[in-house]
Amino acid sequence: MDALHPRLLVGRFADTFRFYDAVLPGLVGAALTRGGESGPYASWDVGAEGVLSLFDRAAMAEVTGGTDLSADPPPAQDRAVLVSRVPDVTAGYELCLRHGGRPVAPPADRPEWGPSMRTAHLRDPDGNLLELQSY
């Protein structure tokens, strides 16, 4: 049962699919369970639990009546971040960059967040913010 998991609404479905399909197995052990690169939907699970799903933004707009709204919001601070605890922040960050992630903040110790906290931040091909962390 999937109690609650994120679904990203993306405009660059194929690019974003390839990114997560390449990095989720190494970061969290997730496997593709539904969908594919052509969209409009794909999801990855760890065991029987949903970890992440992607849905084509335009397809969702058709369902929700948002086709007359801009797909490109004005620049603003992020409203959400996908956070993944990983065993090695630097290795995870490099894996993401090799598969199309865009750097935001390189791996760094963050003692102000916790005595052993280490993080890195990047964006997926659709611009969503990711935080890799270990503690």
Side-chain angles (χ1 to χ4, degrees):
M1 178 180 112
D2 298 336
L4 182 65
H5 66 274
R7 176 179 295 164
L8 298 177
L9 303 177
V10 299
R12 296 176 55 194
F13 192 92
D15 292 337
T16 308
F17 171 88
R18 285 190 299 272
F19 174 78
Y20 284 109
D21 199 46
V23 304
L24 284 175
L27 291 178
V28 298
L32 179 67
T33 55
R34 288 176 284 293
E37 184 175 338
S38 62
Y41 179 84
S43 64
W44 293 262
D45 294 356
V46 171
E49 289 294 318
V51 173
L52 178 69
S53 64
L54 303 178
F55 199 81
D56 180 79
R57 184 180 295 128
M60 182 61 77
E62 289 178 22
V63 171
T64 61
T67 55
D68 59 332
L69 301 175
S70 172
D72 297 315
Q77 290 183 348
D78 294 288
R79 296 191 56 138
V81 58
L82 294 175
V83 179
S84 180
R85 187 174 178 190
V86 298
D88 183 332
V89 170
T90 300
Y93 182 74
E94 290 170 356
L95 172 68
C96 291
L97 295 181
R98 280 195 310 273
H99 291 284
R102 296 187 321 254
V104 172
D109 294 331
R110 303 231 182 262
E112 67 278 13
W113 292 7
S116 61
M117 180 66 77
R118 184 167 175 78
T119 68
H121 295 84
L122 58 124
R123 294 194 183 279
D124 71 17
D126 205 58
N128 297 295
L129 184 62
L130 281 79
E131 176 181 291
L132 304 177
Q133 60 173 234
S134 64
Y135 52 90

